[in-house]
């Protein structure tokens, strides 16, 4: 099964082809990406969840003529054609008049809520799978009231819990895409109402593991809806044996930080780290998404400079009509100056803009572009310091940092997922144009000074440098936010298998033992012994056990 990350570039290529009606490119895209992937149920569902109906119709049409099982893609095709054309297709009209899918589509065409009749014997017809398809259609189009009506009606009809389990599975599968593509119109409350309905059904059935997973999902959606007290309540529900304990603690810490309770957030993160220090690599990898404590996977990853160059050029073209001039900063600027390209261990692209270039124009241009996806969750009512965007065609991430004049400095920052702003102050600079990977691009006019303020001795390669902790530009070193960031960077280094970085962060934590929210010395030693550069190849250091015993 292909990953969601690998499907995004395929979707982007097909979307551009369909938007420009360049169907002569279809054969090449199919050859490059594989017909089997494009007609797969997973890819068609991915396109639905990403809300690209044109590609849904294209891929479903291919599936009808090429897949072994065609009933589901045929139904999806009829549904989407009917909704786009605002008229039932002949095949849709051949369904019984009271068929749940036909009625759902008909209501969506005329923009009316779906309300299943409550009179026994005169309700909607269809199998349980048909009812689930109708529910999915509503979720695809964010018709949450209709989805809830259908769900409640089918739950009254189906006493087997099979429908509820299908719903729970759908929520879990859709959640990463809903979260990663969130915008101001994401109906968080509607999703939570659906999830809570299924939670109650499965809780009554005694399905503890699934109920726990749903509670955590509801907690996460409350967090995205900025209902942090509700997030804490749901994320703190009892954990059944064998379920993940660490992530609930992490999410509760996140919510406390958003509420300004930095001391409680720090204490919970220490609880996470203490638990992790006692676990095997495999146990940790099982609890954190994409975790690689051994470092084997991360060591094999390579930064695709070609994709990065294309994404950077496309961003420049998107911003040009608004007179917005992005310039290289941070790791991307360091790669340009020291390597003449991108750093081999890079993971994303860093650019800056000046605050006087109108952040609202930047947001509007990127939002209207078909090439990029903007994470609106980073927008702030006061100062927005960071705008992450994703280049749809390559999946490349670009961080746009906004620089504000303040106190004789140019100040930018990072918006942490814990709700804090961590700021970095630089000497004022202008910009000049250079040639970067065959493209004219702006950079600070005094590159050496800017890099020295960010990296210190930038001429020497240091793949374990922790910018957010070691940069000379970091504001308020040793302060409450800084000490929270040290914990988050420690967790990140552990699950990425960066053992030398763990050792370095441990050294920073020792340096700030007198700071507010300082970490217990015993825990620092335990983490360094267990995950640092000198850790044993297998098992846990005896010194880690001793240090933890002292810290307990």
């Amino acid at each position: 099964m292909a990953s969601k990350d690998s499907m995004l570039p395929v979707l982007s290529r097909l979307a551009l082809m369909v938007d420009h009606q360049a169907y002569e490119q279809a054969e090449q895209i199919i050859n490059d990406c594989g017909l089997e992937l494009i007609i797969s149920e997973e890819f068609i569902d991915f396109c639905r969840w990403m809300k690209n109906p044109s590609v849904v119709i294209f891929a479903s049409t291919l599936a009808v003529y090429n897949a072994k099982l065609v009933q589901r893609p045929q139904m999806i095709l009829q549904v989407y054609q009917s909704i786009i054309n605002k008229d039932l297709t002949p095949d849709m009209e051949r369904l019984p008049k009271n068929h749940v899918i036909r009625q759902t589509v008909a209501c969506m065409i005329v923009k009316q809520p779906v309300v299943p009749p409550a009179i026994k014997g005169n309700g909607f017809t269809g199998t349980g799978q048909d009812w689930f398809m109708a529910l999915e259609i509503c979720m695809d189009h964010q018709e949450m009231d209709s989805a809830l009506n259908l769900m409640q009606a089918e739950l009254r009809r189906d006493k087997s819990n099979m429908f509820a389990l299908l719903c729970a599975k759908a929520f879990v599968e859709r959640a990463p895409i809903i979260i990663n593509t969130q915008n101001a119109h994401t109906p968080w409350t509607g999703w939570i109402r659906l999830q809570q309905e299924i939670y109650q059904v499965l809780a009554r059935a005694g399905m503890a593991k699934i109920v726990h997973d749903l509670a955590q999902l509801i907690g996460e959606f409350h967090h995205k809806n900025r209902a942090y007290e509700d997030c804490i309540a749901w994320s703190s529900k009892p954990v059944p044996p064998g379920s993940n304990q660490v992530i609930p603690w992490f999410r509760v810490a996140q919510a406390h930080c958003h509420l300004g309770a930095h001391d409680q957030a720090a204490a919970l993160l220490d609880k996470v780290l203490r638990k992790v220090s006692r676990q095997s690599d495999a146990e940790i990898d099982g609890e954190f998404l994409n975790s690689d404590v051994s470092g084997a996977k991360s060591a094999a990853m390579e930064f695709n400079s070609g994709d990065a160059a294309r994404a950077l050029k496309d961003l420049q073209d998107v911003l040009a009509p608004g007179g917005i001039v992005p310039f290289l900063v941070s790791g991307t600027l360091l790669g340009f100056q020291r390597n003449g390209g991108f750093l081999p261990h890079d993971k994303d692209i860093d650019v800056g803009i000046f605050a006087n270039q109108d952040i609202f124009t930047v947001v509007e241009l990127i939002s209207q572009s078909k090439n990029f996806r903007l994470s609106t969750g980073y927008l702030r009512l006061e100062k927005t310091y960071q705008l992450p965007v994703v280049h749809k065609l390559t999946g490349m991430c670009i961080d746009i940092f906004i620089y504000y004049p303040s106190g004789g400095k140019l100040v930018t920052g990072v918006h942490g997922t814990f709700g804090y702003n961590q700021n970095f102050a630089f000497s004022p600079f202008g910009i000049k144009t250079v040639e970067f990977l065959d493209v004219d691009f702006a950079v600070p006019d005094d590159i050496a000074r800017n890099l020295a303020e960010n990296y210190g001795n930038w001429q020497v390669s240091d793949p374990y440098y922790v910018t957010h902790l070691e940069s000379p530009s970091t504001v308020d070193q040793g302060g409450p936010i800084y000490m929270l960031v040290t914990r988050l960077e420690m967790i990140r280094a552990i699950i990425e298998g960066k053992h030398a970085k763990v050792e370095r962060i441990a050294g920073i934590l020792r340096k700030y033992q007198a700071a507010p929210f300082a970490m217990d010395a015993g825990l620092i030693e335990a983490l360094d012994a267990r995950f640092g550069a000198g850790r044993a190849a297998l098992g846990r250091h005896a010194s880690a056990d001793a240090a933890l015993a002292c810290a307990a």
Side-chain angles (χ1 to χ4, degrees), residues 490-503:
M490 176 64 84
I491 293 171
R492 181 179 177 182
I494 288 170
I495 65 177
E496 289 183 353
K498 302 293 179 63
H499 310 307
K501 189 170 283 190
V502 167
E503 186 175 277

mmCIF file of all heavy atoms in Angstrom, residues 490-503:
data_model
loop_
_atom_site.group_PDB
_atom_site.id
_atom_site.type_symbol
_atom_site.label_atom_id
_atom_site.label_comp_id
_atom_site.label_asym_id
_atom_site.label_seq_id
_atom_site.Cartn_x
_atom_site.Cartn_y
_atom_site.Cartn_z
ATOM 1 N N MET A 490 14.831 17.261 22.759
ATOM 2 C CA MET A 490 15.347 15.982 23.256
ATOM 3 C C MET A 490 14.470 14.828 22.769
ATOM 4 O O MET A 490 14.976 13.805 22.282
ATOM 5 C CB MET A 490 15.400 15.992 24.788
ATOM 6 C CG MET A 490 15.826 14.670 25.417
ATOM 7 S SD MET A 490 17.539 14.185 25.006
ATOM 8 C CE MET A 490 18.451 15.118 26.249
ATOM 9 N N ILE A 491 13.152 14.972 22.882
ATOM 10 C CA ILE A 491 12.241 13.937 22.394
ATOM 11 C C ILE A 491 12.441 13.726 20.903
ATOM 12 O O ILE A 491 12.511 12.584 20.416
ATOM 13 C CB ILE A 491 10.778 14.328 22.697
ATOM 14 C CG1 ILE A 491 10.527 14.309 24.207
ATOM 15 C CG2 ILE A 491 9.808 13.386 21.986
ATOM 16 C CD1 ILE A 491 9.187 14.874 24.628
ATOM 17 N N ARG A 492 12.549 14.814 20.177
ATOM 18 C CA ARG A 492 12.745 14.729 18.716
ATOM 19 C C ARG A 492 14.043 13.995 18.372
ATOM 20 O O ARG A 492 14.064 13.133 17.494
ATOM 21 C CB ARG A 492 12.750 16.139 18.128
ATOM 22 C CG ARG A 492 12.910 16.210 16.635
ATOM 23 C CD ARG A 492 12.876 17.662 16.203
ATOM 24 N NE ARG A 492 13.085 17.830 14.780
ATOM 25 C CZ ARG A 492 13.134 19.002 14.161
ATOM 26 N NH1 ARG A 492 12.985 20.109 14.860
ATOM 27 N NH2 ARG A 492 13.340 19.073 12.874
ATOM 28 N N ALA A 493 15.125 14.347 19.057
ATOM 29 C CA ALA A 493 16.416 13.700 18.784
ATOM 30 C C ALA A 493 16.359 12.210 19.092
ATOM 31 O O ALA A 493 16.933 11.388 18.363
ATOM 32 C CB ALA A 493 17.521 14.378 19.586
ATOM 33 N N ILE A 494 15.640 11.844 20.155
ATOM 34 C CA ILE A 494 15.535 10.426 20.540
ATOM 35 C C ILE A 494 14.802 9.642 19.465
ATOM 36 O O ILE A 494 15.271 8.592 19.006
ATOM 37 C CB ILE A 494 14.822 10.289 21.904
ATOM 38 C CG1 ILE A 494 15.738 10.777 23.027
ATOM 39 C CG2 ILE A 494 14.416 8.833 22.153
ATOM 40 C CD1 ILE A 494 15.043 10.911 24.369
ATOM 41 N N ILE A 495 13.623 10.128 19.046
ATOM 42 C CA ILE A 495 12.825 9.336 18.108
ATOM 43 C C ILE A 495 13.387 9.388 16.684
ATOM 44 O O ILE A 495 13.042 8.549 15.863
ATOM 45 C CB ILE A 495 11.336 9.773 18.121
ATOM 46 C CG1 ILE A 495 11.175 11.208 17.609
ATOM 47 C CG2 ILE A 495 10.750 9.616 19.504
ATOM 48 C CD1 ILE A 495 9.712 11.646 17.529
ATOM 49 N N GLU A 496 14.275 10.348 16.408
ATOM 50 C CA GLU A 496 14.940 10.381 15.105
ATOM 51 C C GLU A 496 16.252 9.605 15.122
ATOM 52 O O GLU A 496 16.922 9.492 14.088
ATOM 53 C CB GLU A 496 15.199 11.826 14.671
ATOM 54 C CG GLU A 496 13.932 12.579 14.276
ATOM 55 C CD GLU A 496 14.215 13.983 13.793
ATOM 56 O OE1 GLU A 496 15.389 14.429 13.882
ATOM 57 O OE2 GLU A 496 13.274 14.658 13.321
ATOM 58 N N GLY A 497 16.640 9.082 16.283
ATOM 59 C CA GLY A 497 17.876 8.307 16.372
ATOM 60 C C GLY A 497 19.126 9.149 16.223
ATOM 61 O O GLY A 497 20.163 8.650 15.769
ATOM 62 N N LYS A 498 19.060 10.427 16.630
ATOM 63 C CA LYS A 498 20.220 11.330 16.526
ATOM 64 C C LYS A 498 20.972 11.305 17.862
ATOM 65 O O LYS A 498 20.792 12.159 18.728
ATOM 66 C CB LYS A 498 19.748 12.743 16.188
ATOM 67 C CG LYS A 498 18.949 12.844 14.897
ATOM 68 C CD LYS A 498 19.812 12.557 13.686
ATOM 69 C CE LYS A 498 19.023 12.629 12.381
ATOM 70 N NZ LYS A 498 18.480 13.938 12.097
ATOM 71 N N HIS A 499 21.812 10.294 18.031
ATOM 72 C CA HIS A 499 22.433 10.057 19.333
ATOM 73 C C HIS A 499 23.413 11.164 19.727
ATOM 74 O O HIS A 499 23.461 11.555 20.905
ATOM 75 C CB HIS A 499 23.143 8.701 19.315
ATOM 76 C CG HIS A 499 22.267 7.591 18.807
ATOM 77 N ND1 HIS A 499 21.026 7.346 19.344
ATOM 78 C CD2 HIS A 499 22.433 6.687 17.788
ATOM 79 C CE1 HIS A 499 20.473 6.324 18.692
ATOM 80 N NE2 HIS A 499 21.301 5.916 17.751
ATOM 81 N N ALA A 500 24.160 11.681 18.768
ATOM 82 C CA ALA A 500 25.088 12.774 19.080
ATOM 83 C C ALA A 500 24.326 14.034 19.476
ATOM 84 O O ALA A 500 24.775 14.803 20.334
ATOM 85 C CB ALA A 500 25.992 13.054 17.878
ATOM 86 N N LYS A 501 23.164 14.220 18.876
ATOM 87 C CA LYS A 501 22.352 15.395 19.217
ATOM 88 C C LYS A 501 21.763 15.243 20.617
ATOM 89 O O LYS A 501 21.645 16.223 21.364
ATOM 90 C CB LYS A 501 21.252 15.589 18.177
ATOM 91 C CG LYS A 501 20.501 16.894 18.315
ATOM 92 C CD LYS A 501 19.589 17.159 17.118
ATOM 93 C CE LYS A 501 20.368 17.645 15.917
ATOM 94 N NZ LYS A 501 19.480 18.134 14.837
ATOM 95 N N VAL A 502 21.381 14.022 20.990
ATOM 96 C CA VAL A 502 20.893 13.773 22.357
ATOM 97 C C VAL A 502 21.967 14.179 23.367
ATOM 98 O O VAL A 502 21.691 14.853 24.368
ATOM 99 C CB VAL A 502 20.515 12.286 22.548
ATOM 100 C CG1 VAL A 502 20.324 11.965 24.029
ATOM 101 C CG2 VAL A 502 19.259 11.944 21.773
ATOM 102 N N GLU A 503 23.194 13.771 23.092
ATOM 103 C CA GLU A 503 24.303 14.086 23.993
ATOM 104 C C GLU A 503 24.501 15.594 24.119
ATOM 105 O O GLU A 503 24.727 16.123 25.208
ATOM 106 C CB GLU A 503 25.574 13.429 23.463
ATOM 107 C CG GLU A 503 26.768 13.561 24.373
ATOM 108 C CD GLU A 503 27.955 12.788 23.825
ATOM 109 O OE1 GLU A 503 28.022 11.570 24.045
ATOM 110 O OE2 GLU A 503 28.793 13.419 23.159
#
